[in-house]
Amino acid sequence: MFKVRLHTTLIPFCLLLLFSVAISFRSAAQSVVIPIETQRNVLVLQVDVNKDLGTIYFGKKLTNNSEYSQVPALYKQTSDYTGILNSAYTPSGSRNLVEPALSLTHADGNNSLDLKYVSHTLKQIDDNVSLLSIVLKDPVYDFSVTLYYKTYFKEDVVEQWSSIQHQENGNVTLHKFASANLYVKSSGYWLNQYHGDWAKEMQAEESKLTHGIKTLDSKLGTRANLFQPPVFMVSLGKPATEDEGTVLFGSLEWSGNFRTDLEVDYQENLRIISGINNYASTYTLKPNEAFVTPVFLYTLSTDGKGVASRNLQQWARNYKLLDGKGTRLTLLNNWEATYFDFNENKLAGLLKDTKKLGVDLFLLDDGWFANKYPRNGDVAGLGDWQENKKKLPNGIASLVKEAQNNQVKFGIWIEPEMVNPKSELYEKHPDWVVKQSNRAEHYFRNQLVLDLTNPEVQDFVYGVVDGLFSKNPDLAYIKWDCNAVIFNAHSATIKDQSHFYIEYVRGLYKVLERIRAKYPKVPMMLCSGGGGRVDYAALQYFTEFWPSDNTDPLERIFMQWEYSYFYPAIASSNHVTDWGKQPIKFRTDVAMMGKLGFDIVVSKLSAADLKYCQEAIKNYNKLKDVIWQGDQYRLSNPKESNVASMLYLDENKSSGVIFNYLVNYRYGANSSFPILLKGLNPAKRYKIQEINLYPGTKSSIKEEASYTGDFLMKIGFNPDVNSLRTSVILKIDVVN
């Protein structure tokens, strides 16, 4: 074993791994142990005497780094499969008998693969981030795989991917090509997965994994998360709770077809293999070409789901989400006020309402474009991105100017990846559309998908955005929608159709990279009929996402609760609409738990409702920093209680806000017991004040009292939620 002697929890894990840049075996009898450490956890890899790379431990890290050499004795296999079941990246066709991470056919037709350790290299990116690469090679064929482990020490987050390449005399066919192959050992495993549909996103269900393979996947091509998002949790030993238990969060950073296999074998090991879905995607790899898989993201917590989610949220804000430490714009959207029926006069009135309401930006939604086939519904015009002359005779520029005259910003909706068959674009470029010429066209929301494998289409989609900004440099916001899935997958451009699903996503990323190279900071919402395309590969290009078209605030409490495990509040666009039966206060309070927006007819609000919204926006502007950047603590689960309660607390544990909602409207339902707070400084004293009161009402909260953090975390605080007080927002501050 290569020993690391400078072990300390204050040194980033990359310094604890290895001192040399590349280490190979000195002899066949030596083995190498590679502990990949974050602040609290470690993934230990071992190269055995046969040069096989395996996982020997994944869990809470040891105080004494040298003791990892004793781990293999505890995890040793007892059968002829020694060194195979725990492979760090399982090949197929040779000695392996379990689900592979990589399966292929060599240039000579041979289907076997063996991967032996060659070397590993460490690169320290900064004090918190490091990148480990491990080279594996087939001893018979000129074929290699490089495994990458990018670790974020403080956040306990690991990003893992692989690069596959060869120098054989001909093409190699890749049948499966995973990003990561985790190996976990426990007495039992509980999977928390998600499913859904339009307006029913993020429906959680938990079950015990039994022997065999459980697969989470998507074959939709685009809008891939519509029925099955890529995020999941696995609890080890017993189902984890918010504050107890060992739990692994995982997700693939990829905006297309994904596949995650969870295999429990006969020796009670759990193997998690995740990557691009190989469905209809056999990949022909040329000599010297590198196939780089997308990133598989994971974080492990031994203290429950809450710690894992806060680690992931902090990581996302610091490293992945576009402008994650920046600001966001509150807005008024016209969609539910006008749908497709508007003109310049109507929009001028809504722009005045935007200023009157007190938000930052007016967002013009669908329906502003197309002339030969006007966009007066979702059946025509999509793809023809010129201003509709009847609705907007003076164009977008006049609206941007009118917004400036009202001291607000202006944003606009687009869906540039899609086309209606009834459009000029379709008539001019039928070969740009994803379809099979010998099959009848099949529509999803009356539209088809443009072929982003085609460089001309990539230029067109980029040009939609670039054209808007070139003509309107003061445009301040883009809502990017994506409403269709892919039927009859076929490209008129690429030769190998088995590459289509992969090349489509690559084409999308090429467009987004070009947009961000020219417009790096413009806020863009990632919308896909709701949460149909929410993943961290896409969120590198977008400042926020649209969780669901279902904006009923009661439904949103449950959705936003589940989304919050994986995504920070600053990324979640929450709008106040007329969905649901709850009063305006309830609807607004729920929307304040992320990035606030409105989609209402301001002119129809009563004087009291308008005054409430205006004051709520002012309160939100004071609180948004702690909501967007604070630590998030789930206090009362809406699935288990009459009341949902969520705390956002600043880094110093000195100020925060608690959102409380009645979610059970049966007779007598209320917050009958105090809710235990979390994350506070037990020695400090806190005052609690109710805010966002509806005009003419008084709070039942006694503001003169103060409490120690110890008291609030052990005894708790009752927000007095009941049928007359269905939504209660409390501001909590340290008493000086």
Side-chain angles (χ1 to χ4, degrees):
M1 175 186 178
F2 188 93
K3 296 182 179 179
V4 179
R5 300 187 182 278
L6 293 183
H7 182 67
T8 168
T9 57
L10 298 179
I11 298 177
F13 106 100
C14 52
L15 298 180
L16 303 175
L17 282 171
L18 302 163
F19 294 121
S20 70
V21 173
I23 298 177
S24 300
F25 281 114
R26 294 192 183 98
S27 71
Q30 271 189 308
S31 65
V32 175
V33 173
I34 310 172
I36 304 173
E37 294 188 294
T38 57
Q39 184 168 244
R40 301 172 186 85
N41 305 317
V42 63
L43 172 64
V44 185
L45 305 179
Q46 183 190 48
V47 184
D48 66 17
V49 295
N50 297 314
K51 298 187 180 181
D52 292 320
L53 180 69
T55 302
I56 60 172
Y57 178 71
F58 184 27
K60 203 168 184 177
K61 72 179 183 182
L62 304 179
T63 302
N64 185 349
N65 201 48
S66 65
E67 288 192 303
Y68 293 127
S69 62
Q70 300 177 37
V71 171
L74 301 176
Y75 284 76
K76 185 178 180 181
Q77 306 290 351
T78 58
S79 72
D80 292 338
Y81 309 129
T82 301
I84 303 298
L85 287 177
N86 67 338
S87 174
Y89 195 74
T90 311
S92 69
S94 54
R95 297 169 296 146
N96 173 53
L97 299 177
V98 294
E99 183 66 25
L102 179 59
S103 178
L104 55 78
T105 301
H106 291 284
D108 65 359
N110 192 300
N111 291 322
S112 67
L113 178 64
D114 199 5
L115 293 173
K116 300 294 186 179
Y117 170 87
V118 176
S119 64
H120 60 274
T121 303
L122 178 67
K123 179 180 179 182
Q124 183 175 337
I125 297 173
D126 59 34
D127 288 343
N128 190 55
V129 184
S130 61
L131 179 63
L132 172 69
S133 59
I134 304 175
V135 178
L136 308 175
K137 193 174 185 302
D138 192 304
V140 176
Y141 289 89
D142 198 356
F143 184 96
S144 63
V145 176
T146 304
L147 304 181
Y148 293 94
Y149 299 81
K150 190 174 185 180
T151 55
Y152 303 83
F153 185 79
K154 294 177 182 177
E155 294 82 8
D156 284 319
V157 168
V158 181
E159 289 186 300
Q160 185 177 341
W161 68 97
S162 59
S163 178
I164 305 165
Q165 53 273 318
H166 73 92
Q167 289 79 41
E168 298 185 21
N169 293 322
N171 296 333
V172 170
T173 304
L174 303 181
H175 304 294
K176 189 176 182 182
F177 28 86
S179 299
N181 184 172
L182 294 184
Y183 170 86
V184 183
K185 197 165 186 72
S186 183
S187 58
Y189 312 95
W190 281 259
L191 172 66
N192 194 326
Q193 67 183 93
Y194 295 88
H195 69 278
D197 197 351
W198 179 82
K200 296 189 295 183
E201 289 84 354
M202 291 301 283
Q203 304 296 309
E205 56 185 359
E206 187 171 47
S207 59
K208 185 174 183 179
L209 287 171
T210 57
H211 294 84
I213 299 177
K214 170 79 173 184
T215 298
L216 310 177
D217 75 337
S218 172
K219 303 179 182 71
L220 303 181
T222 185
R223 201 179 176 188
N225 301 355
L226 177 60
F227 306 131
Q228 173 83 67
V231 295
F232 65 92
M233 310 176 194
V234 175
S235 299
L236 309 182
K238 62 179 181 180
T241 65
E242 193 68 28
D243 303 303
E244 294 181 346
T246 299
V247 61
L248 173 76
F249 284 22
S251 184
L252 190 70
E253 298 180 25
W254 180 249
S255 305
N257 295 345
F258 61 85
R259 172 178 170 179
T260 299
D261 294 321
L262 301 105
E263 180 179 21
V264 179
D265 67 26
Y266 70 99
Q267 289 191 344
E268 319 305 330
N269 309 303
L270 172 63
R271 191 171 295 96
I272 302 174
I273 301 173
S274 186
I276 294 173
N277 197 338
N278 55 334
Y279 161 77
S281 295
T282 298
Y283 194 89
T284 303
L285 187 65
K286 299 176 182 178
N288 300 309
E289 175 189 0
F291 183 92
V292 181
T293 69
V295 168
F296 179 65
L297 163 73
Y298 51 96
T299 184
L300 182 72
S301 166
T302 57
D303 296 304
K305 299 175 183 178
V307 168
S309 70
R310 286 186 289 278
N311 287 342
L312 202 53
Q313 289 176 4
Q314 184 177 4
W315 166 83
R317 292 189 297 260
N318 290 340
Y319 297 102
K320 189 61 61 167
L321 178 66
L322 183 66
D323 198 24
K325 301 296 287 185
T327 188
R328 298 292 186 269
L329 298 169
T330 55
L331 60 83
L332 175 66
N333 193 357
N334 74 297
W335 179 245
E336 295 200 15
T338 67
Y339 294 98
F340 294 98
D341 183 20
F342 58 81
N343 54 35
E344 283 185 355
N345 289 332
K346 278 188 179 181
L347 296 179
L350 292 174
L351 282 164
K352 289 182 174 62
D353 287 341
T354 306
K355 174 64 175 176
K356 184 178 181 180
L357 186 62
V359 293
D360 303 315
L361 176 138
F362 174 77
L363 172 61
L364 176 60
D365 215 293
D366 195 358
W368 59 268
F369 51 91
N371 289 293
K372 182 178 180 180
Y373 303 105
R375 183 69 169 176
N376 296 321
D378 66 4
V379 298
L382 194 60
D384 301 340
W385 298 102
Q386 68 279 148
E387 296 100 327
N388 180 275
K389 294 177 181 178
K390 184 177 181 180
K391 293 180 182 180
L392 306 176
N394 295 300
I396 298 298
S398 67
L399 297 174
V400 175
K401 185 176 181 180
E402 183 67 19
Q404 291 174 330
N405 292 339
N406 283 278
Q407 298 177 308
V408 296
K409 298 178 184 295
F410 187 86
I412 201 164
W413 177 97
I414 56 174
E415 191 177 2
E417 299 167 68
M418 306 293 165
V419 62
N420 285 130
K422 192 174 182 179
S423 67
E424 291 184 85
L425 179 66
Y426 184 84
E427 290 176 346
K428 294 177 182 177
H429 299 286
D431 57 320
W432 282 11
V433 177
V434 176
K435 62 177 182 177
Q436 295 189 2
S437 57
N438 59 343
R439 302 286 184 188
E441 292 179 353
H442 192 62
Y443 307 129
F444 195 105
R445 200 179 180 242
N446 303 306
Q447 63 195 54
L448 294 165
V449 179
L450 292 177
D451 181 10
L452 278 176
T453 71
N454 185 340
E456 291 183 342
V457 175
Q458 294 171 23
D459 290 341
F460 170 80
V461 174
Y462 169 78
V464 172
V465 179
D466 188 47
L468 282 169
F469 281 112
S470 297
K471 296 175 184 177
N472 309 284
D474 291 323
L475 194 64
Y477 187 90
I478 294 288
K479 178 181 178 182
W480 182 303
D481 216 337
C482 171
N483 282 300
V485 302
I486 293 176
F487 294 117
N488 293 329
H490 181 85
S491 168
T493 304
I494 61 176
K495 294 181 179 179
D496 191 340
Q497 295 299 317
S498 65
H499 290 197
F500 171 77
Y501 285 117
I502 296 171
E503 293 300 335
Y504 180 90
V505 179
R506 287 175 172 174
L508 171 65
Y509 292 160
K510 287 177 182 178
V511 172
L512 293 171
E513 286 165 6
R514 288 177 66 187
I515 291 171
R516 282 311 178 190
K518 190 169 182 180
Y519 307 102
K521 290 293 186 180
V522 174
M524 291 206 313
M525 180 202 292
L526 173 62
C527 182
S528 191
R533 182 195 273 167
V534 182
D535 65 85
Y536 276 116
L539 286 173
Q540 296 176 96
Y541 307 105
F542 293 85
T543 50
E544 56 219 64
F545 69 90
W546 183 237
S548 176
D549 282 348
N550 185 344
T551 53
D552 182 315
L554 188 59
E555 295 291 334
R556 273 299 188 102
I557 288 171
F558 290 85
M559 287 183 189
Q560 291 168 197
W561 185 278
E562 299 300 337
Y563 272 117
S564 75
Y565 283 112
F566 301 95
Y567 305 102
I570 192 173
S572 179
S573 292
N574 305 333
H575 288 187
V576 181
T577 74
D578 290 329
W579 281 48
K581 300 178 180 179
Q582 292 77 17
I584 192 72
K585 171 176 166 52
F586 191 101
R587 287 179 273 149
T588 305
D589 290 355
V590 171
M592 285 175 62
M593 296 174 70
K595 203 228 70 170
L596 177 64
F598 289 80
D599 200 337
I600 57 176
V601 183
V602 176
S603 61
K604 293 184 179 180
L605 293 176
S606 68
D609 280 359
L610 177 60
K611 182 179 180 181
Y612 170 78
C613 290
Q614 291 169 332
E615 289 301 314
I617 292 167
K618 292 177 183 177
N619 283 330
Y620 179 78
N621 286 332
K622 295 175 184 176
L623 294 168
K624 61 186 179 183
D625 286 345
V626 73
I627 295 172
W628 294 347
Q629 303 296 337
D631 289 327
Q632 195 169 11
Y633 293 89
R634 296 167 202 82
L635 307 180
S636 179
N637 192 326
K639 294 186 293 185
E640 301 170 356
S641 171
N642 295 328
V643 173
S645 183
M646 183 86 77
L647 165 65
Y648 299 81
L649 191 64
D650 71 3
E651 184 179 3
N652 297 323
K653 304 181 182 296
S654 61
S655 181
V657 57
I658 312 168
F659 294 90
N660 307 276
Y661 309 100
L662 185 69
V663 295
N664 179 1
Y665 286 83
R666 297 189 66 184
Y667 179 78
N670 56 46
S671 55
S672 56
F673 297 98
I675 293 173
L676 301 181
L677 274 61
K678 301 174 185 178
L680 304 178
N681 185 326
K684 290 186 178 180
R685 298 195 70 84
Y686 294 85
K687 291 196 72 171
I688 296 178
Q689 172 192 7
E690 184 173 358
I691 61 171
N692 270 30
L693 290 166
Y694 191 80
T697 63
K698 294 182 179 180
S699 175
S700 62
I701 303 299
K702 296 179 180 180
E703 297 182 8
E704 64 275 10
S706 67
Y707 316 85
T708 64
D710 183 60
F711 179 93
L712 292 171
M713 291 189 290
K714 292 177 179 176
I715 303 300
F717 186 88
N718 193 332
D720 193 22
V721 175
N722 55 58
S723 60
L724 300 177
R725 288 167 48 83
T726 57
S727 175
V728 176
I729 299 184
L730 303 173
K731 188 159 186 330
I732 179 169
D733 294 286
V734 166
V735 178
N736 293 326

